């Protein structure tokens, strides 16, 4: 048939019918289309009536042709009807409106500080550091004296302290765990020490009276300042991105010597200077240095046999930097609207 | 501490701009925290050209100048400078200008001739001390252009962070010394008056330990007046007010050399005597700030024959201060026991520039030099005639000697990670004015008195590393990993419990370690409850933060309050943190326990269209606690109990004999006390009561491959019977029980008074074969029989 010209427009009718059925979005519209093509007053009936104008010898063939067409269109109609009916049954699954919101249980999330801590721990565990912890309520001895802060010395003024009594205080740093740990373990050792620390200062946007700190300590026979720079650089790049740069500035801490403060290149401006880094291109991230021989002696180590490094970083500050948090006090505010902002899957990713 | 760039240039040449110098100093270990740019100390000064110079008709030394200062007509200005000449380009202060020191320029008659302004010297503009003649400018530009910001260098002030080990850096000369080392430049020492010991004066030091050195210098013919503009400008730039030439000179030396000085009006001293002694009990002094202060024998004072005249190292007294009519001075330059100064400062709550430096230990070698420097300044200003002989007391002359500290080259390299030779290290230290000599493996260094912080080898290693440059110490990019990481199993368990709670829809919060002591009462803990007696902080910030928390719950209630105010409708929070119980632990430290506290407040479910919304209830709490216990593998081992004191809404979960957790409804009164809406449910789990973590990895067990047979069982019992009893009997009796769920619970109603029913779905399964209905029937029959026998239960058929 396709070889012959479509003398009576049969194929054209079939095509139009198929299109009309396909466009019918529901059974009602489909029914209208069916009536239009194969209803009692439809196009097929009209076409069949034209049989009278044909010579007699062509009439049987024409009759067959039209019947075939009716069958073809009926088939198209049934198929489309089936499809639409299934759809109607499926509608029951979504109560007639699939755009209604789905059922959701409550979502939870880690606190942003603990998320930062977890990410940092993973990096250091991967580098071979182990975990150690110590008490928040600490002896003056471990917090100050063993760390080479003499009594009544101005170096203590740099850390305003909460006291319980003359000998007991709230630790101002995680460093006391250095001596506690060394008293019980022999080198080589490589630990990180996260924990809460306390400072007796009136809170403001950049100072809190309690915050989270993490200490690192590595002691072995030949640990050097160069090793310290390696580890700190590795950490900064793993946490902030592989193009971060690190620089060390000389500084003073009673329990390390040589001492340094480590800066990293500003992740926001990449070192060109912006408000985040105070236009310097650098952001201070930690204090560090080589363990002071007095500290080794206090822990019962021979300072001629061992060398080591220590570093300490404030996790609140790291979280503030990483997520652009404007006020340290928000971290303990626990406003759920604040906490939820850091539950995103991307929160732990490295900035590239 | 503030340091002026202009001031620094008095002692060391600096070509670098302020930003470069700041960066280099920072990398050298002197942290510049900020740079402030100060406006030049004059306004209304313009460029002028001298057109003509004539002699003043009434005074030989004065000239009458015609100056083009950009106005419609030239100005007539009287000038006293010998170097003024026609054609010179000069700085002209026109009418209305304000010069350094505050002088305002007006049109005025000088010896009968009107002067319409002033041609300025460097001194008048506060640019230097040079007032020998007017400035000749090689400055391009039209007459009349403003010279503000264009003359000399505008002033920069650095805000430095000086660490407590380096008191020698608390002055301009000290910083100049670092700059000289940094850039390898030569230091210029400030001029000093020739001062020697042997002055005749009644000076008595009661204890050489309290006051190891005391120098008293003397100045006569004093004329008290304002100090010159250059000095005032420098002092102002670092935040000190100008007072008078004498006080300003002592303050200048303080900021220049770091040694605090004090000038007494000698004529006010009783019997012309100075005694350094402990204060007597009840003795009083009115200090310079006008406050009367009571002293005690813990404090060191400077006294005359009758009374204290200064609190040693802290502040002078008002009675003996320098006044307009002062004619003779005693200038004190001393050293005191830093602990006494610190103690007095703390107890008098009086921190001064002097106390700050004395506490950090002044340079024991500088007393005489500092006094000589002040004398020189006073002499230069024409403010008095210093006496060449001072009175001096030195407790221990050996304290003035240089010490020698040695360094092992190999050890220094080991610490730094370098391969420097002994000579290299000696050269590095030499730059810091630490004269060093290398003898092979050892470097001997002679330590000057101003470096009291260098006591041993490691101190020298740090100085060498600093001058060598931390940035030059090699960095091997591959991090070593020589020690295997060991993470305590407890920490891993903690972390996975947090993850689990988070997956259950909890928000983790972090609250303060502090607690309001009044919270113990608000929580309703009675005196026998150890949580009621928290550890107190001796010096708290506020009363509400004056104790250490004995429970996480009060802090969590605060979080609920905050979030209720923030209109958060579903509150399901937890904290994993320490509490502090004052029970006995070694060395007097409290017991630090790790807890998980969880709160359930407001709605348990989000507002949704498909089901009515539900308030958080007891079973939300219990379900989550059970889920947690199940994770820990303890669900079947823990026993829920009502505590003996019988508070109805609270339960305990015991493991072995110990309380592992408590939980229930926060009593209404407690909620009200914390200003939160009831009901709130909570649990509080003591992590320290858990069995040791890391009990081993779970072992795989094969699952049954045979089908399960399910039976629903509706049991009616008396109202006093509890679900747990019913369940226990079913568990005991069943042989093939695979799972047990209760899915309906009903009380009273059509069951009749005093009855309740539980409907169970029991699932039976064997690991050996398919159970037939006969076996299951037998199983159910046995269960029902036991329930009837032991609990008087009846089986209800639908």
């Amino acid at each position: 048939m396709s070889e012959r010209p479509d003398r009576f427009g049969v194929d054209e009718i079939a095509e139009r019918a198929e299109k009309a059925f396909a466009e019918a979005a529901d059974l009602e519209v489909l029914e209208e289309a069916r009536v239009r093509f194969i209803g009692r007053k439809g196009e097929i009936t009209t076409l069949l009536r034209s049989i009278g104008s044909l010579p007699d010898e062509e009439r049987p063939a024409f009759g067959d042709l039209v019947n075939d067409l009716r069958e073809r269109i009926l088939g198209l109609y049934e198929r489309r009807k089936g499809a639409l009916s299934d759809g109607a049954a499926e509608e029951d699954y979504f109560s007639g409106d699939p755009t209604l919101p789905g059922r959701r249980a409550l979502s939870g999330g880690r606190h942003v500080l603990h998320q930062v801590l977890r990410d940092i721990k993973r990096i250091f565990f991967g580098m071979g550091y182990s975990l150690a912890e110590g008490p928040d309520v600490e002896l003056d001895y471990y917090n100050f004296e063993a760390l080479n802060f003499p009594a009544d010395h101005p170096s203590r003024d740099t850390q305003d302290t909460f006291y319980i009594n003359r000998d007991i205080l709230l630790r101002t740093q995680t460093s006391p765990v250095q001596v506690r740990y060394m008293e019980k373990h022999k080198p080589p050792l490589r630990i990180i020490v996260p924990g809460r620390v306390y400072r007796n200062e009136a809170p403001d946007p950049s100072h809190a009276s309690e915050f989270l700190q993490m200490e690192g300590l590595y002691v072995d026979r030949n640990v050097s300042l160069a090793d310290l720079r390696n580890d700190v650089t590795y950490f900064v790049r793993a946490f902030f991105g592989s193009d971060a740069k690190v620089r060390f500035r000389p500084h003073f801490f009673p329990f390390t010597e040589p001492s340094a403060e480590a800066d990293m290149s500003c992740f926001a401006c990449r070192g060109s200077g912006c408000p985040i880094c105070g236009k310097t291109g650098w952001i201070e991230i930690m204090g560090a240095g080589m363990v002071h021989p007095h500290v080794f002696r206090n822990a019962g180590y021979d300072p001629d046999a061992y060398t080591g490094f220590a570093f300490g970083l404030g996790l609140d500050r790291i979280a503030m930097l990483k997520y652009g948090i404007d006020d340290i006090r928000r971290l303990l505010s626990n406003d759920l609207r604040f906490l939820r902002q850091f539950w995103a899957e991307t929160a732990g990713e490295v900035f590239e | 501490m503030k340091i002026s760039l202009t001031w620094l240039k008095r002692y060391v040449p600096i070509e670098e701009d302020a930003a470069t110098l700041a960066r280099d100093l920072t990398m050298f270990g002197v942290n510049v925290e900020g740079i402030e740019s100060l406006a030049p100390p004059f306004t209304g000064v313009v460029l002028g050209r001298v057109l003509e110079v004539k002699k003043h008709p009434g005074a030989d030394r004065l000239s009458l100048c015609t100056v083009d200062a950009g106005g419609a007509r030239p100005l007539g200005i009287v000038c006293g400078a010998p170097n003024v000449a026609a054609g010179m380009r000069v700085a002209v202060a026109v009418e209305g200008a304000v010069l350094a020191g505050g002088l305002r320029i007006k049109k005025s008659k000088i010896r009968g001739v009107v002067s319409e302004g002033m041609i300025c010297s460097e001194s008048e503009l506060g640019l230097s001390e040079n007032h020998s003649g007017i400035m000749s400018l090689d400055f391009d530009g039209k007459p009349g252009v403003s010279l503000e910001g264009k003359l000399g260098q505008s002033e920069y002030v650095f805000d430095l962070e000086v660490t407590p080990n380096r008191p020698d850096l608390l002055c301009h000369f000290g910083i100049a010394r670092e700059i000289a080392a940094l850039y390898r430049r030569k230091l210029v020492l400030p001029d000093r008056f020739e001062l020697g010991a042997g002055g005749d004066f009644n000076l008595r030091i009661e204890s050489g330990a309290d006051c190891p050195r005391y120098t008293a210098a003397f100045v006569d013919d004093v004329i008290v007046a304002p100090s010159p503009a250059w000095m005032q400008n420098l002092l102002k730039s670092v935040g000190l007010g100008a007072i008078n030439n004498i006080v300003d000179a002592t303050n200048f030396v303080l900021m220049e050399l770091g040694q605090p000085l004090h000038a007494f009006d000698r004529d006010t001293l009783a019997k012309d005597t100075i005694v350094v002694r402990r204060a007597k009990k009840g003795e009083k002094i009115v200090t310079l700030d006008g406050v009367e202060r009571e002293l005690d024998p813990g404090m060191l004072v400077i006294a005359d024959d009758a009374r204290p005249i200064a609190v040693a190292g802290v502040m002078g007294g008002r009675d003996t201060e320098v006044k307009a009519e002062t004619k003779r001075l005693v200038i004190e330059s001393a050293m005191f026991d830093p602990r006494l100064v610190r103690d007095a400062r703390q107890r008098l709550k009086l921190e001064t520039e002097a106390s700050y430096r004395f506490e950090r230990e002044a340079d024991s070698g500088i007393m005489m030099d500092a006094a000589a420097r002040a004398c020189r300044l006073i002499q230069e200003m024409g403010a008095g005639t210093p006496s060449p002989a001072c009175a001096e007391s030195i407790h221990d002359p050996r304290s003035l000697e240089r010490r020698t500290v040695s360094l092992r080259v190999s050890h220094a390299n080991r610490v730094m990670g370098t391969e420097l030779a002994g000579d290299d290290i000696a050269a590095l230290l030499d730059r810091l004015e630490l004269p060093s000599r290398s003898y092979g493996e050892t470097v001997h260094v002679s330590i000057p008195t101003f470096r009291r912080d260098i006591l041993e080898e490691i101190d020298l290693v740090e100085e060498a590393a600093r001058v060598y440059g931390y940035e030059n110490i090699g960095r091997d990019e591959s991090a070593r990993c020589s020690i295997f990481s060991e993470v305590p199993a407890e920490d891993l368990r903690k972390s996975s419990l947090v993850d689990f709670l988070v997956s259950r829809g909890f928000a983790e919060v972090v609250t303060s370690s502090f607690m309001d002591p009044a919270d113990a009462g608000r929580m309703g803990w009675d005196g026998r409850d150890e949580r009621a007696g928290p550890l107190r902080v001796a010096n708290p910030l506020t009363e509400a933060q004056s104790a250490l928390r004995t429970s996480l719950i009060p802090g969590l209630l605060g979080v609920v309050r905050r979030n209720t105010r923030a209109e958060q409708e579903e509150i399901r929070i937890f904290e994993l943190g320490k509490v502090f119980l004052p029970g006995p632990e070694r060395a007097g430290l409290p017991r630090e326990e790790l807890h998980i506290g969880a709160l359930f407040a407001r709605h348990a479910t989000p507002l949704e269209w498909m089901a009515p919304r539900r308030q958080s209830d007891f079973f939300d709490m219990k379900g989550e606690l059970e889920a947690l216990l199940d994770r820990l593998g303890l669900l079947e081992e823990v026993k829920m109990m009502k505590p003996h004191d019988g508070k109805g809404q609270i339960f305990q979960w015991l493991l072995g004999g110990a309380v592992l957790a408590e939980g229930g409804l926060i009593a209404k009164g407690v909620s009200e006390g914390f200003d939160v809406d009831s009901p709130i449910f909570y649990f509080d789990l003591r992590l320290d009561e858990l069995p040791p973590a890391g009990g081993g990895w779970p072992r795989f067990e094969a699952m049954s491959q045979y089908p399960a047979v399910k039976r629903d069982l509706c049991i009616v019992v008396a109202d006093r019977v509890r679900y747990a009893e019913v369940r226990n009997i079913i568990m005991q009796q069943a042989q093939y029980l695979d799972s047990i769920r209760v899915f309906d619970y009903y009380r009273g109603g059509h069951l009749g008074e005093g009855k309740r029913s539980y409907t169970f779905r029991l699932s039976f399964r064997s690991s050996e074969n398919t159970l037939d209905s006969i076996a299951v029937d037998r199983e159910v029959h046995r269960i029902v029989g036991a329930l009837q026998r032991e609990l008087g239960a009846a089986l209800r058929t639908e």
Side-chain angles (χ1 to χ4, degrees):
Chain A
M1 207 151 55
S2 60
E3 313 257 316
R4 291 183 304 173
D6 185 12
R7 242 181 93 203
F8 304 103
V10 171
D11 290 344
E12 186 263 341
I13 293 171
E15 273 165 31
R16 275 195 292 115
E18 185 171 12
K19 187 159 177 270
F21 294 160
E23 281 170 1
D26 58 42
L27 291 170
E28 211 173 311
V29 180
L30 182 68
E31 177 61 13
E32 281 169 20
R34 185 192 67 82
V35 170
R36 202 159 68 240
F37 288 97
I38 49 179
R40 271 192 298 144
K41 292 177 181 169
E43 284 197 39
I44 302 290
T45 311
T46 311
L47 186 63
L48 201 56
R49 281 202 192 116
S50 68
I51 200 166
S53 62
L54 286 178
D56 283 355
E57 68 274 16
E58 288 188 21
R59 286 183 185 180
F62 180 72
D64 290 347
L65 191 67
V66 175
N67 276 330
D68 284 352
L69 176 60
R70 180 196 294 274
E71 289 299 313
R72 238 170 102 192
I73 291 175
L74 197 60
L76 289 170
Y77 165 75
E78 293 292 349
R79 205 180 325 149
R80 179 63 184 151
K81 189 179 170 197
L84 284 177
S85 305
D86 282 356
E90 275 167 12
E91 277 208 347
D92 293 342
Y93 293 128
F94 46 74
S95 302
D97 187 354
T99 65
L100 280 166
R103 184 178 282 112
R104 286 169 65 171
L106 294 182
S107 290
R110 279 183 180 248
H111 191 283
V112 58
L113 273 176
H114 288 171
Q115 184 163 291
V116 165
L117 173 59
R118 181 195 57 190
D119 294 347
I120 291 178
K121 274 167 149 184
R122 281 181 182 163
I123 293 168
F124 281 102
F125 290 161
M127 293 165 75
Y129 285 78
S130 298
L131 186 87
E133 288 180 315
D136 291 27
V137 184
E138 185 53 284
L139 295 174
D140 181 279
Y141 172 77
Y142 286 111
N143 195 78
F144 286 129
E145 234 175 285
L147 293 172
N148 204 26
F149 286 80
D152 293 322
H153 191 270
S155 54
R156 290 196 173 198
D157 292 352
T158 59
Q159 301 189 358
D160 291 323
T161 309
F162 287 113
Y163 284 93
I164 301 294
N165 59 38
R166 214 168 47 89
D167 303 318
I168 298 178
L169 45 72
L170 301 187
R171 64 176 171 191
T172 59
Q173 48 196 355
T174 43
S175 316
V177 185
Q178 285 186 23
V179 178
R180 282 186 177 276
Y181 193 85
M182 287 193 281
E183 282 177 345
K184 294 203 170 138
H185 297 80
K186 281 199 165 15
L189 57 90
R190 201 172 197 182
I191 53 167
I192 52 169
V193 186
R196 187 174 276 190
V197 301
Y198 305 84
R199 301 278 170 93
N200 190 349
E201 44 186 300
D204 68 26
S206 48
H207 298 89
S209 48
E210 42 192 323
F211 52 96
L212 199 55
Q213 201 179 58
M214 198 189 83
E215 190 87 357
L217 175 71
Y218 178 21
V219 181
D220 204 343
R221 295 212 172 265
N222 287 300
V223 178
S224 73
L225 196 56
D227 296 321
L228 170 61
R229 278 168 50 101
N230 286 347
D231 277 14
V232 170
T233 304
Y234 179 91
F235 156 68
V236 168
R237 291 184 177 168
F239 189 75
F240 285 104
S242 55
D243 59 349
K245 291 186 187 65
V246 176
R247 72 173 192 186
F248 271 52
R249 284 181 285 108
H251 198 73
F252 167 74
F253 303 106
F255 47 102
T256 52
E257 189 159 17
S259 298
E261 274 186 340
D263 300 335
M264 68 168 202
S265 52
C266 178
F267 54 84
C269 65
R270 308 280 160 134
S272 60
C274 71
I276 289 179
C277 54
K279 299 192 176 160
T280 61
W282 295 95
I283 296 176
E284 180 191 324
I285 48 159
M286 66 171 85
M290 303 304 294
V291 179
H292 199 286
H294 294 183
V295 177
F296 277 148
R297 266 183 221 116
N298 290 334
Y301 284 13
D302 175 0
D304 283 334
Y306 296 105
T307 57
F309 67 66
F311 58 82
L313 64 163
L315 300 184
D316 298 64
R317 198 177 136 68
I318 300 272
M320 290 171 75
L321 285 171
K322 184 165 183 176
Y323 301 114
I325 297 165
D326 60 345
D327 188 328
I328 192 168
R329 293 170 295 188
R330 289 193 196 283
L331 292 167
L332 291 194
S333 74
N334 295 304
D335 187 322
L336 290 166
R337 294 167 302 169
F338 169 79
L339 297 178
R340 279 192 204 107
Q341 295 178 35
F342 312 102
W343 292 354
E345 279 311 309
T346 51
E349 277 180 13
V350 168
F351 185 85
E352 292 288 5
Chain B
M1 186 195 47
K2 288 191 158 144
I3 288 287
S4 141
L5 183 56
T6 310
W7 198 333
L8 285 176
K9 287 178 181 170
R10 298 169 77 90
Y11 319 113
V12 64
I14 298 172
E15 296 125 31
E16 289 70 16
D17 61 44
T20 307
L21 178 64
R23 193 197 57 218
D24 293 346
L25 271 176
T26 297
M27 294 308 291
F28 201 62
V30 184
N31 194 15
V32 180
E33 294 187 315
I35 307 175
E36 194 188 344
S37 168
L38 298 184
F42 57 80
T43 59
V45 177
V46 299
L47 178 65
R49 200 160 64 86
V50 181
L51 302 175
E52 193 182 9
V53 179
K54 286 194 283 192
K55 274 223 146 45
H56 188 287
D60 282 351
R61 294 219 197 133
L62 297 181
S63 317
L64 254 178
C65 307
T66 313
V67 181
D68 176 7
R73 56 171 188 81
L75 302 177
I77 297 177
V78 176
C79 178
N83 64 331
V84 66
M88 251 174 117
R89 297 170 84 82
V90 292
V92 182
V94 296
E95 197 176 348
V98 180
L99 300 188
L103 177 66
R104 180 174 283 275
I105 300 299
K106 291 179 292 201
K107 206 182 272 187
S108 58
K109 271 190 181 175
I110 299 174
R111 301 246 178 142
V113 178
V114 173
S115 182
E116 298 175 294
M118 178 171 156
I119 304 177
C120 303
S121 68
E122 289 186 10
S123 150
E124 282 145 356
L125 293 180
L127 300 172
S128 80
E129 289 146 73
N130 183 358
H131 52 88
S132 61
I134 56 169
M135 290 172 77
S136 171
L137 305 176
D138 51 356
F139 188 83
D140 278 340
K142 281 194 178 149
V145 300
S146 167
L147 294 175
E148 272 175 60
K150 292 174 185 158
L151 277 192
Q153 270 172 324
S154 45
E155 172 66 308
Y156 290 96
V157 176
F158 290 174
D159 192 8
L160 297 184
E161 178 197 10
V162 176
T163 52
N165 62 324
R166 292 297 304 272
D168 61 304
L169 300 185
L170 291 169
C171 62
H172 286 81
F173 192 73
I175 301 297
R177 196 185 273 129
E178 292 285 305
I179 294 171
L182 168 64
Y183 294 136
R184 303 172 205 245
R185 291 190 190 140
K186 220 174 146 49
L187 263 180
V188 183
L189 280 164
D191 290 342
R192 289 194 303 263
F193 181 75
E194 293 259 341
L195 194 60
D200 183 24
F201 184 72
N202 194 3
L203 172 66
R204 203 167 75 245
I205 311 297
E206 285 199 345
S207 156
D210 289 355
C211 175
R213 285 199 72 176
Y214 198 100
T215 302
F218 310 102
V219 180
D220 294 341
D221 311 325
V222 170
I223 301 164
V224 176
S227 59
W230 65 266
M231 183 181 278
Q232 292 193 22
N233 286 331
L234 290 180
L235 289 173
K236 275 183 205 153
S237 69
V238 297
L240 292 180
I243 295 166
N244 59 48
N245 47 6
I246 304 301
V247 176
D248 290 358
T250 58
N251 281 338
F252 186 85
V253 174
L254 168 76
M255 300 312 288
E256 180 181 62
L257 299 177
Q259 168 66 21
L261 302 179
H262 186 72
F264 296 102
D265 180 337
R266 186 167 175 180
D267 294 314
T268 62
L269 302 184
K271 295 202 176 158
D272 205 26
T273 294
I274 280 184
V275 187
V276 183
R277 59 165 170 82
R278 294 299 183 100
K280 292 169 191 151
K281 196 163 162 47
E283 222 170 15
K284 287 183 180 145
I285 183 172
V286 178
T287 41
L288 284 173
D289 52 2
V291 179
E292 186 181 70
R293 297 172 190 277
E294 186 160 335
L295 308 171
D296 65 57
M299 298 178 190
L300 189 67
V301 296
I302 317 300
D304 59 14
D305 195 57
R307 65 206 155 143
I309 57 173
V311 182
V314 180
M315 193 179 266
R318 197 173 54 179
D319 292 353
T320 50
E321 75 177 310
V322 174
K323 292 177 267 311
E325 60 276 16
T326 298
K327 290 291 164 234
R328 297 195 305 151
L329 306 175
V330 175
I331 296 177
E332 165 194 291
S333 179
M335 183 176 174
F336 306 109
D337 181 342
R339 282 167 304 183
L340 287 173
V341 176
R342 180 179 166 84
D343 196 52
R345 183 264 294 172
Q346 284 174 340
R347 286 198 288 150
L348 296 174
K349 296 190 169 51
L350 188 60
E351 173 140 3
T352 59
E353 294 282 353
S355 72
Y356 192 81
R357 287 168 177 78
F358 279 122
E359 277 184 48
R360 282 155 180 77
E361 296 235 66
D363 170 3
S364 61
I366 204 172
M367 276 83 231
M368 176 93 85
D369 288 348
R373 175 62 179 153
C375 289
R376 174 68 189 224
L377 287 168
I378 288 168
Q379 187 185 37
E380 276 179 358
M381 290 188 287
T385 309
S387 156
C390 63
E392 195 178 31
S393 159
I394 300 175
H395 175 58
D396 177 9
R398 280 170 308 172
S399 68
L400 301 181
E401 289 168 9
R402 282 174 169 262
R403 289 165 295 117
T404 297
V405 177
S406 304
L407 161 151
R408 289 164 295 166
V409 174
S410 59
H411 187 71
N413 280 318
R414 189 159 75 121
V415 171
M416 292 191 279
T418 50
E419 290 170 356
L420 298 172
D423 286 338
D424 299 337
I425 292 175
L428 291 170
L429 295 172
D430 267 333
R431 280 165 63 186
L432 287 167
E433 299 205 348
L434 300 171
S436 307
R437 290 191 71 174
S438 159
Y439 301 91
E441 162 63 7
T442 309
V443 176
H444 293 295
V445 185
S446 164
I447 309 298
T449 52
F450 62 81
R451 288 306 302 270
R452 300 178 62 89
D453 59 307
I454 299 180
L455 299 169
E456 56 191 314
E457 179 180 38
I458 193 69
D459 302 321
L460 291 173
V461 173
E462 176 172 64
E463 292 306 290
R466 190 162 74 86
V467 180
Y468 184 65
Y470 283 10
E471 291 302 298
N472 297 323
I473 290 176
R475 188 158 51 196
D476 164 12
E477 295 291 335
S478 63
R480 284 193 287 159
C481 183
S482 59
I483 305 171
F484 201 74
S485 172
E486 282 171 44
V487 184
E490 264 71 17
D491 191 63
L492 295 174
R493 178 165 71 185
K494 241 164 65 183
S495 184
S496 76
L497 289 179
V498 169
D499 283 340
F500 178 67
L501 287 167
V502 162
S503 77
R504 304 289 303 178
F506 285 85
E508 186 192 20
V509 302
V510 176
T511 68
S512 172
S513 295
F514 294 110
M515 176 175 114
D516 185 342
D519 282 350
R522 279 185 204 119
M523 287 300 295
W525 295 323
D526 64 30
R528 279 167 304 162
D529 191 326
E530 60 176 346
R531 292 173 296 187
L535 206 63
R536 297 292 196 118
V537 177
N539 56 338
L541 275 173
T542 63
E543 174 64 17
Q545 293 166 284
S546 64
L548 287 172
R549 64 182 178 193
T550 53
S551 162
L552 300 175
I553 305 303
L556 292 173
L557 287 169
V559 176
V560 172
R561 182 173 59 234
R562 181 182 187 102
N563 284 293
T564 303
R565 284 188 189 151
E567 288 159 63
Q568 300 299 297
E569 303 196 326
E570 304 93 17
I571 299 179
R572 174 177 282 213
I573 53 174
F574 81 97
E575 176 167 16
L576 191 160
K578 280 179 178 177
V579 303
F580 305 86
L581 296 163
E585 179 106 331
R586 71 213 133 81
L589 294 181
R591 217 166 75 232
E592 297 188 3
E593 284 188 358
L594 208 54
H595 284 225
I596 292 178
L599 283 196
F600 304 74
R602 313 204 81 195
H603 291 99
T605 52
L607 182 61
E608 284 182 323
W609 57 270
M610 60 280 271
R613 198 176 202 186
R614 213 163 45 67
Q615 288 282 323
S616 297
D617 64 20
F618 178 80
F619 291 101
D620 284 314
M621 180 281 290
K622 186 168 184 246
E624 295 305 334
L625 177 58
E626 285 171 346
L628 198 61
L629 293 172
D630 198 15
R631 272 279 162 137
L632 290 162
L634 298 172
L635 189 55
E636 296 300 329
E637 288 169 46
V638 164
K639 259 205 181 104
M640 177 170 150
M641 299 256 303
K642 236 182 190 175
H644 293 301
D645 59 8
K647 280 185 201 132
Q649 316 287 7
I650 291 175
F651 294 87
Q652 291 180 335
W653 283 261
L654 305 182
L655 180 64
V659 178
L660 175 62
E662 69 164 47
L665 174 70
I666 301 274
K668 195 156 189 301
V670 174
S671 294
E672 278 164 9
F674 282 89
D675 199 13
V676 288
D677 297 333
S678 203
I680 295 174
F681 294 88
Y682 80 101
F683 70 73
D684 181 353
L685 178 84
R686 300 163 70 188
L687 289 174
D688 300 322
E689 296 299 336
L690 292 176
W697 296 328
R699 302 299 304 173
F700 166 75
E701 282 175 38
M703 294 81 73
S704 167
Q705 44 185 320
Y706 302 102
V709 180
K710 294 193 172 84
R711 290 291 165 89
D712 291 351
L713 218 58
C714 182
I715 308 288
V716 181
V717 291
D719 207 24
R720 62 179 162 72
V721 175
R722 293 287 175 266
Y723 160 80
E725 300 172 72
V726 180
R727 182 178 180 273
N728 279 345
I729 290 172
I730 296 173
M731 301 282 284
Q732 281 161 18
Q733 295 297 325
Q735 188 182 349
Y736 296 112
L737 194 63
D738 190 42
S739 75
I740 173 170
R741 301 271 175 86
V742 59
F743 66 95
D744 194 31
Y745 166 54
Y746 193 78
R747 287 176 81 182
H750 64 269
L751 293 174
E753 199 62 22
K755 297 275 184 198
R756 56 174 68 187
S757 72
Y758 302 99
T759 309
F760 290 92
R761 172 156 301 169
L762 305 179
S763 169
F764 300 94
R765 197 199 297 262
S766 160
S767 57
E768 281 143 23
N769 50 35
T770 302
L771 290 177
D772 58 17
S773 61
I774 298 168
V776 175
D777 286 346
R778 205 184 305 130
E779 186 97 345
V780 171
H781 187 75
R782 191 167 61 244
I783 289 168
V784 172
L787 289 171
Q788 283 170 342
R789 199 167 53 245
E790 295 182 31
L791 297 175
L795 190 63
R796 191 163 151 252
T797 41
E798 302 297 328

